[in-house]
Amino acid sequence: MLVPMLVAAMAVRLWPLVRADSLCRNHTVRTGKVFNVHKAVPGDILYFSSRTTSLITHPCKRNLAVYLGARVFFTTDSFGSSLLPFTIPTSMQVGVPAVTSAHFAGPVLLFVINQKVYIYDYQTNSWNAAIGIEHPISHISGDNCCYSQNSFCLDIGDSIFAYLYGEVVSQANIYYSKTFGYSFQKFAFYRQEELVGSLGGIFFFHSLSQVGLLVLDGTTAKFVYSDHPLSRSFGLPFDYVGTLDVLITPGQKGILILWSDNNLLISPNAGQLVNTVMVNFRPYKFFSSILEANLTIHSIATTFDFLRCPINIQEILMNPDLEIEACKVQRLHGFFGNKMYTIDMNSELTLTAFMVPRLGNSPIPLVTVSNPHSLGLQATIEEQGYTLDGNSKYQLNIYLKQQHHSGRADPNFTSSIKRPTMSTVTLDIANKEISCIDLKPLTALVSVGCDLEKKIIVQNDLSACSKGILDPVTLQDNYYYIIEKEAYDPNFLGQKATEDLKVLYQYNKLGCPSLVYYDTPWKPVVELWRRGKFQEVVNAQYVLLEVNGLFTYTYSLTAGTALCKSQPQNWTTIMADAGYHRPFSWDRENYVSCHKPNGGSLLRWPDVPYQILGGPTNNKIIFEQRNGIYVFLLSIVDPYYSYCHLETTFSIYVYGDFPPSIIPIELTIILLTMGMLLTLWLVYAIPKCHAPR
């Protein structure tokens, strides 16, 4: 089939001259017996409403594929056996079973049938109708990540868009799903109401960490993007003839293929530049496009029994008539190929590869990133000796860090540092000959986001158990402690409760409490750990909340003494924003610094306690005169420390406060004064009594 052959050729080289010669010429193998097409099959037989055919394979499970044509066929063995036409149960009541779009979304296959979305779970052989879509739609789009079982990678597959092709873009009803297409909600694109033209599609460009909208305007089209910095401008316009399907090639490299039966375009950078693929009929005879060459792109499936066509691409490319130069590189090897990595805030990553050129050649290695707005790189190469046949061997080191911290990019070029992004990094050979088909580029997926292997703990060098104040055996034996009603508020508003609170101490989670003297200002020492190894003491800003509502403590700094320029946040405002409904959190997502002007929010109450610890201030906790256990939730709120929501729970035991006296303080002062006077009188009188007369 011609379409897969064209796509395969373009995957080898970004700007090839596609030959019109037939590649499928060795022999054919029949996959099985032909079914009687008039045989009754259960359900409604699906068909593809387009005049072209389409073959869609699962990028991570290559044995899964769906063929869209006059009949629809679904295979789980790469069409290795004969198939009956694919049907949908009559009970789904789809009406006209016309398919306009299909997409593999992780563990399911999505179809648009009669302007509605249906989900086929091929693992359980069951169908469902999507919910939440209230308008007609014609297409769905999404992507799949095959690098890792990491949750960040798997989450790529569950994001789906649904839309109606050709709708007025400013008024288009776009739907978005984070559940593999089972449920949708309305999606509003950034400044969508200002766009002019019709909707050609909407896509997740994970290679750029952007949502891209294809806007059609007569015979031209362009992509617009959702986030800074690409949201400030459009992709370059390109000629748009007919109706083009947009194919996002696997691997999150940003390569797009736009095609119809007589048009073929390609973009290496997620639509920022779109170019027409030229055609080479024979040596020295070129055409600027498929349309000019008068070729038709289609899939050959004339019967209901598929023909499989094995070909040897390498053998074809070695044909001397093609006059193709030999590959200049013998080996390109690296352990990072097809793997996934994470770079958290302020972190770095080094990748290593090895190259062996062909004798007498000096190829140039080329390192690229799909999202330069997010990921910065620096590469070095050094000779590492010789192979047994005398060829030089080179080591390539690729140093990656967040572009924001690279020191070489303008802030207007970089992505927002607060937003997690992703990028692929690819090592290839510049101007590589097409004969290097077996020398595949090395590509890794890099998540500029949360490193799930990080965690924080609170240092506990001095515990109440080590000093004999508390017994660890007792704490583990369903130990309860009492919080007085005057000391806590279950609503965290600082109001006294109506009854005492009995609390079960969770020793398995908290261990033995740290020991803290009540009369000394205190703040915890927070440590960052990764893979069981200590990394550093955390100096970022964080907040504390006593989980049982204890309010017998305050802070050493006020908003004024902390030098705030605007009114600082506190737990009361955080809970108010959450509607006082649990769970409420104060973290990097909703933290607002008071040390920067905040939209005209002036510092109206400088004497309120400043409740953020760490960072540029030396704020500390001051306890009231109360001995007992405190259980704190600690949350890192600094948005520039890590993309993770780093939090932990720990306990302390506050000691040193003497029990309140039952004698009134006024009487105590009087008695102390009288005692001192009596002592002075005795010092004066006793020597006189013993003096000789």
Side-chain angles (χ1 to χ4, degrees):
M1 290 175 282
L2 182 57
V3 170
M5 296 308 106
L6 291 175
V7 173
M10 283 182 288
V12 175
R13 190 172 179 182
L14 288 181
W15 310 112
L17 299 178
V18 179
R19 297 188 66 86
D21 298 336
S22 173
L23 295 176
C24 194
R25 60 190 178 209
N26 284 356
H27 61 280
T28 60
V29 178
R30 192 168 295 278
T31 62
K33 296 180 179 179
V34 179
F35 286 107
N36 184 353
V37 297
H38 300 292
K39 179 180 178 179
V41 291
D44 296 326
I45 298 177
L46 300 175
Y47 68 92
F48 192 36
S49 61
S50 174
R51 65 179 182 180
T52 62
T53 57
S54 180
L55 181 64
I56 303 171
T57 60
H58 196 301
C60 307
K61 304 173 183 177
R62 296 304 177 91
N63 59 308
L64 299 177
V66 61
Y67 168 78
L68 305 178
R71 293 289 185 267
V72 174
F73 293 90
F74 172 70
T75 180
T76 58
D77 61 0
S78 300
F79 297 107
S81 59
S82 295
L83 301 166
L84 286 170
F86 200 50
T87 63
I88 185 171
T90 306
S91 59
M92 299 301 295
Q93 299 180 346
V94 298
V96 179
V99 176
T100 55
S101 182
H103 171 70
F104 281 102
V108 298
L109 175 57
L110 304 178
F111 289 97
V112 177
I113 306 174
N114 197 17
Q115 298 188 326
K116 296 180 180 179
V117 176
Y118 294 88
I119 307 100
Y120 175 64
D121 188 331
Y122 48 81
Q123 296 175 334
T124 61
N125 190 30
S126 60
W127 286 86
N128 287 278
I131 60 175
I133 297 179
E134 300 176 351
H135 299 85
I137 59 117
S138 62
H139 288 75
I140 48 178
S141 68
D143 202 355
N144 287 276
C145 178
C146 310
Y147 289 94
S148 167
Q149 292 299 307
N150 181 290
S151 60
F152 182 85
C153 184
L154 296 177
D155 287 347
I156 290 178
D158 63 15
S159 301
I160 306 295
F161 277 124
Y163 59 94
L164 180 63
Y165 178 90
E167 196 171 11
V168 176
V169 67
S170 61
Q171 304 172 12
N173 296 295
I174 301 173
Y175 291 89
Y176 166 68
S177 171
K178 282 289 291 182
T179 59
F180 297 103
Y182 282 94
S183 61
F184 286 84
Q185 59 186 10
K186 286 292 289 289
F187 177 84
F189 189 81
Y190 175 69
R191 301 176 71 173
Q192 178 181 342
E193 67 281 355
E194 301 176 9
L195 299 176
V196 177
S198 58
L199 179 62
I202 184 168
F203 312 93
F204 288 99
F205 293 146
H206 296 284
S207 60
L208 284 174
S209 299
Q210 299 271 356
V211 173
L213 194 74
L214 179 58
V215 179
L216 313 180
D217 187 8
T219 58
T220 62
K222 60 189 175 186
F223 283 94
V224 295
Y225 302 92
S226 59
D227 293 284
H228 177 83
L230 296 182
S231 59
R232 296 178 302 154
S233 60
F234 303 126
L236 290 181
F238 57 94
D239 292 337
Y240 189 97
V241 180
T243 300
L244 300 180
D245 287 330
V246 180
L247 173 64
I248 302 175
T249 62
Q252 286 74 51
K253 298 180 183 179
I255 300 175
L256 306 182
I257 296 175
L258 297 83
W259 69 281
S260 65
D261 57 348
N262 57 10
N263 206 356
L264 185 63
L265 302 95
I266 188 169
S267 171
N269 48 21
Q272 297 179 79
L273 295 172
V274 180
N275 291 273
T276 302
V277 175
M278 295 183 292
V279 179
N280 177 12
F281 247 117
R282 57 183 65 89
Y284 312 114
K285 186 174 183 180
F286 303 100
F287 293 96
S288 62
S289 67
I290 295 287
L291 182 63
E292 182 181 333
N294 196 28
L295 295 177
T296 300
I297 302 175
H298 58 89
S299 298
I300 302 173
T302 56
T303 68
F304 298 126
D305 186 25
F306 284 88
L307 300 178
R308 305 187 72 188
C309 177
I311 61 174
N312 188 330
I313 296 292
Q314 188 67 50
E315 179 183 346
I316 294 172
L317 295 177
M318 295 302 292
N319 187 333
D321 294 338
L322 297 179
E323 300 179 356
I324 296 176
E325 295 183 12
C327 186
K328 295 179 181 179
V329 179
Q330 287 188 340
R331 190 182 184 202
L332 185 64
H333 172 70
F335 294 104
F336 61 86
N338 295 323
K339 293 185 179 179
M340 180 177 176
Y341 299 88
T342 299
I343 296 180
D344 203 341
M345 197 87 70
N346 304 303
S347 300
E348 299 181 1
L349 175 65
T350 301
L351 304 177
T352 302
F354 298 92
M355 181 185 69
V356 179
R358 186 178 295 275
L359 194 63
N361 289 275
S362 301
I364 301 175
L366 179 65
V367 184
T368 59
V369 293
S370 66
N371 189 358
H373 308 284
S374 171
L375 190 61
L377 71 86
Q378 185 174 358
T380 63
I381 183 171
E382 55 187 18
E383 191 171 353
Q384 291 287 315
Y386 299 91
T387 63
L388 295 178
D389 56 1
N391 285 7
S392 297
K393 183 169 59 176
Y394 295 91
Q395 176 177 318
L396 296 94
N397 298 311
I398 304 170
Y399 305 99
L400 301 169
K401 64 167 53 176
Q402 215 172 349
Q403 188 69 279
H404 188 87
H405 297 300
S406 68
R408 297 183 297 172
D410 188 280
N412 292 324
F413 177 81
T414 59
S415 302
S416 171
I417 191 174
K418 290 186 177 182
R419 187 172 66 94
T421 55
M422 64 171 289
S423 176
T424 52
V425 55
T426 300
L427 171 61
D428 203 354
I429 304 300
N431 301 317
K432 186 170 65 176
E433 297 79 8
I434 197 171
S435 58
C436 298
I437 186 172
D438 292 331
L439 198 74
K440 299 184 181 301
L442 300 175
T443 301
L445 179 66
V446 179
S447 165
V448 183
C450 173
D451 185 347
L452 298 177
E453 295 180 319
K454 285 184 176 181
K455 68 175 183 178
I456 56 172
I457 64 173
V458 173
Q459 194 178 96
N460 187 1
D461 292 340
L462 182 64
S463 71
C465 297
S466 65
K467 291 299 182 179
I469 297 177
L470 294 176
D471 181 12
V473 176
T474 303
L475 290 176
Q476 296 178 66
D477 188 20
N478 292 327
Y479 178 77
Y480 286 87
Y481 62 97
I482 302 297
I483 299 179
E484 308 82 11
K485 61 183 180 181
E486 298 84 8
Y488 84 99
D489 179 4
N491 297 316
F492 299 92
L493 297 176
Q495 306 296 322
K496 296 179 180 179
T498 56
E499 59 182 12
D500 293 346
L501 180 65
K502 185 178 181 181
V503 180
L504 173 65
Y505 187 77
Q506 299 178 348
Y507 184 87
N508 291 337
K509 179 180 179 181
L510 302 172
C512 193
S514 300
L515 197 58
V516 176
Y517 184 60
Y518 90 97
D519 202 25
T520 301
W522 164 88
K523 69 176 181 179
V525 178
V526 187
E527 298 177 346
L528 178 68
W529 288 66
R530 184 177 185 272
R531 294 184 178 179
K533 295 182 180 180
F534 170 78
Q535 302 295 310
E536 63 182 11
V537 172
V538 176
N539 293 317
Q541 294 166 301
Y542 60 90
V543 293
L544 296 176
L545 178 68
E546 210 292 324
V547 299
N548 296 303
L550 272 167
F551 53 77
T552 53
Y553 63 91
T554 187
Y555 298 84
S556 62
L557 295 182
T558 64
T561 56
L563 304 180
C564 287
K565 296 180 180 179
S566 59
Q567 200 65 39
Q569 294 172 301
N570 56 45
W571 279 108
T572 302
T573 60
I574 293 296
M575 288 184 285
D577 291 340
Y580 299 99
H581 299 301
R582 295 191 183 186
F584 40 76
S585 61
W586 192 356
D587 53 32
R588 66 179 303 273
E589 298 291 341
N590 58 0
Y591 169 73
V592 178
S593 173
C594 71
H595 295 101
K596 299 178 181 179
N598 181 21
S601 175
L602 302 177
L603 181 60
R604 300 178 183 274
W605 300 282
D607 294 330
V608 299
Y610 180 67
Q611 297 185 359
I612 297 100
L613 292 88
T617 69
N618 192 31
N619 198 17
K620 293 184 178 181
I621 297 290
I622 298 176
F623 292 97
E624 296 180 7
Q625 290 182 307
R626 177 187 179 274
N627 295 337
I629 294 175
Y630 291 73
V631 179
F632 284 107
L633 168 69
L634 186 151
S635 176
I636 303 291
V637 296
D638 189 339
Y640 303 108
Y641 184 72
S642 171
Y643 287 106
C644 302
H645 291 169
L646 295 173
E647 62 181 28
T648 188
T649 304
F650 68 100
S651 63
I652 63 172
Y653 184 84
V654 177
Y655 77 104
D657 176 36
F658 293 103
S661 174
I662 60 175
I663 303 176
I665 188 171
E666 295 83 359
L667 181 58
T668 301
I669 294 174
I670 293 173
L671 292 175
L672 287 174
T673 303
M674 293 179 63
M676 293 175 62
L677 293 174
L678 178 61
T679 301
L680 291 173
W681 180 81
L682 289 175
V683 170
Y684 173 79
I686 290 176
K688 286 190 173 184
C689 292
H690 293 281
R693 292 182 181 272

